[in-house]
PDB file of all heavy atoms in Angstrom:
ATOM      1  N   SER Q  73     -66.082  50.243 -69.401  1.00 89.00           N
ATOM      2  CA  SER Q  73     -64.990  50.298 -68.374  1.00 89.00           C
ATOM      3  C   SER Q  73     -65.597  49.649 -67.101  1.00 89.00           C
ATOM      4  O   SER Q  73     -66.806  49.508 -66.929  1.00 89.00           O
ATOM      5  CB  SER Q  73     -64.638  51.788 -68.008  1.00 89.00           C
ATOM      6  OG  SER Q  73     -65.834  52.434 -67.608  1.00 89.00           O
ATOM      7  N   GLY Q  74     -64.607  49.056 -66.361  1.00 92.00           N
ATOM      8  CA  GLY Q  74     -64.976  48.359 -65.155  1.00 92.00           C
ATOM      9  C   GLY Q  74     -65.211  49.309 -63.954  1.00 92.00           C
ATOM     10  O   GLY Q  74     -64.782  50.516 -64.014  1.00 92.00           O
ATOM     11  N   ARG Q  75     -65.717  48.768 -62.865  1.00 94.00           N
ATOM     12  CA  ARG Q  75     -65.959  49.554 -61.691  1.00 94.00           C
ATOM     13  C   ARG Q  75     -66.001  48.693 -60.403  1.00 94.00           C
ATOM     14  O   ARG Q  75     -66.456  47.556 -60.523  1.00 94.00           O
ATOM     15  CB  ARG Q  75     -67.164  50.486 -61.777  1.00 94.00           C
ATOM     16  CG  ARG Q  75     -68.503  49.643 -61.894  1.00 94.00           C
ATOM     17  CD  ARG Q  75     -69.657  50.621 -62.145  1.00 94.00           C
ATOM     18  NE  ARG Q  75     -70.923  49.966 -62.175  1.00 94.00           N
ATOM     19  CZ  ARG Q  75     -71.797  49.771 -61.219  1.00 94.00           C
ATOM     20  NH1 ARG Q  75     -71.529  50.306 -60.050  1.00 94.00           N
ATOM     21  NH2 ARG Q  75     -72.921  49.133 -61.392  1.00 94.00           N
ATOM     22  N   TRP Q  76     -65.664  49.269 -59.370  1.00 96.00           N
ATOM     23  CA  TRP Q  76     -65.708  48.600 -58.045  1.00 96.00           C
ATOM     24  C   TRP Q  76     -67.052  49.009 -57.379  1.00 96.00           C
ATOM     25  O   TRP Q  76     -67.458  50.163 -57.529  1.00 96.00           O
ATOM     26  CB  TRP Q  76     -64.534  48.953 -57.174  1.00 96.00           C
ATOM     27  CG  TRP Q  76     -63.294  48.257 -57.430  1.00 96.00           C
ATOM     28  CD1 TRP Q  76     -62.207  48.789 -58.197  1.00 96.00           C
ATOM     29  CD2 TRP Q  76     -62.852  46.989 -56.974  1.00 96.00           C
ATOM     30  NE1 TRP Q  76     -61.261  47.840 -58.288  1.00 96.00           N
ATOM     31  CE2 TRP Q  76     -61.552  46.783 -57.554  1.00 96.00           C
ATOM     32  CE3 TRP Q  76     -63.438  45.990 -56.175  1.00 96.00           C
ATOM     33  CZ2 TRP Q  76     -60.842  45.650 -57.320  1.00 96.00           C
ATOM     34  CZ3 TRP Q  76     -62.704  44.892 -55.961  1.00 96.00           C
ATOM     35  CH2 TRP Q  76     -61.409  44.612 -56.508  1.00 96.00           C
ATOM     36  N   GLN Q  77     -67.645  48.086 -56.636  1.00 95.00           N
ATOM     37  CA  GLN Q  77     -68.744  48.422 -55.775  1.00 95.00           C
ATOM     38  C   GLN Q  77     -68.823  47.500 -54.574  1.00 95.00           C
ATOM     39  O   GLN Q  77     -68.268  46.410 -54.632  1.00 95.00           O
ATOM     40  CB  GLN Q  77     -70.029  48.393 -56.617  1.00 95.00           C
ATOM     41  CG  GLN Q  77     -70.401  46.866 -57.090  1.00 95.00           C
ATOM     42  CD  GLN Q  77     -71.628  46.883 -57.917  1.00 95.00           C
ATOM     43  OE1 GLN Q  77     -71.668  47.521 -58.945  1.00 95.00           O
ATOM     44  NE2 GLN Q  77     -72.678  46.124 -57.512  1.00 95.00           N
ATOM     45  N   MET Q  78     -69.468  47.975 -53.555  1.00 97.00           N
ATOM     46  CA  MET Q  78     -69.650  47.105 -52.376  1.00 97.00           C
ATOM     47  C   MET Q  78     -70.745  46.057 -52.688  1.00 97.00           C
ATOM     48  O   MET Q  78     -71.697  46.408 -53.358  1.00 97.00           O
ATOM     49  CB  MET Q  78     -70.020  47.864 -51.110  1.00 97.00           C
ATOM     50  CG  MET Q  78     -69.942  47.138 -49.791  1.00 97.00           C
ATOM     51  SD  MET Q  78     -70.085  48.287 -48.398  1.00 97.00           S
ATOM     52  CE  MET Q  78     -68.449  49.076 -48.465  1.00 97.00           C
ATOM     53  N   GLN Q  79     -70.584  44.842 -52.166  1.00 97.00           N
ATOM     54  CA  GLN Q  79     -71.531  43.780 -52.486  1.00 97.00           C
ATOM     55  C   GLN Q  79     -71.983  43.038 -51.229  1.00 97.00           C
ATOM     56  O   GLN Q  79     -71.138  42.572 -50.424  1.00 97.00           O
ATOM     57  CB  GLN Q  79     -70.863  42.768 -53.416  1.00 97.00           C
ATOM     58  CG  GLN Q  79     -71.783  41.699 -53.928  1.00 97.00           C
ATOM     59  CD  GLN Q  79     -71.077  40.713 -54.836  1.00 97.00           C
ATOM     60  OE1 GLN Q  79     -70.117  40.044 -54.396  1.00 97.00           O
ATOM     61  NE2 GLN Q  79     -71.527  40.569 -56.017  1.00 97.00           N
ATOM     62  N   SER Q  80     -73.234  42.931 -51.001  1.00 97.00           N
ATOM     63  CA  SER Q  80     -73.850  42.180 -49.919  1.00 97.00           C
ATOM     64  C   SER Q  80     -74.223  40.823 -50.433  1.00 97.00           C
ATOM     65  O   SER Q  80     -74.756  40.595 -51.515  1.00 97.00           O
ATOM     66  CB  SER Q  80     -75.085  42.847 -49.332  1.00 97.00           C
ATOM     67  OG  SER Q  80     -75.702  42.084 -48.387  1.00 97.00           O
ATOM     68  N   GLY Q  81     -73.899  39.747 -49.655  1.00 97.00           N
ATOM     69  CA  GLY Q  81     -74.365  38.438 -49.948  1.00 97.00           C
ATOM     70  C   GLY Q  81     -73.507  37.849 -51.076  1.00 97.00           C
ATOM     71  O   GLY Q  81     -74.056  37.124 -51.999  1.00 97.00           O
TER      72      GLY Q  81
END
Side-chain angles (χ1 to χ4, degrees):
S73 58
R75 65 189 179 95
W76 284 96
Q77 66 183 56
M78 193 169 290
Q79 183 183 62
S80 175

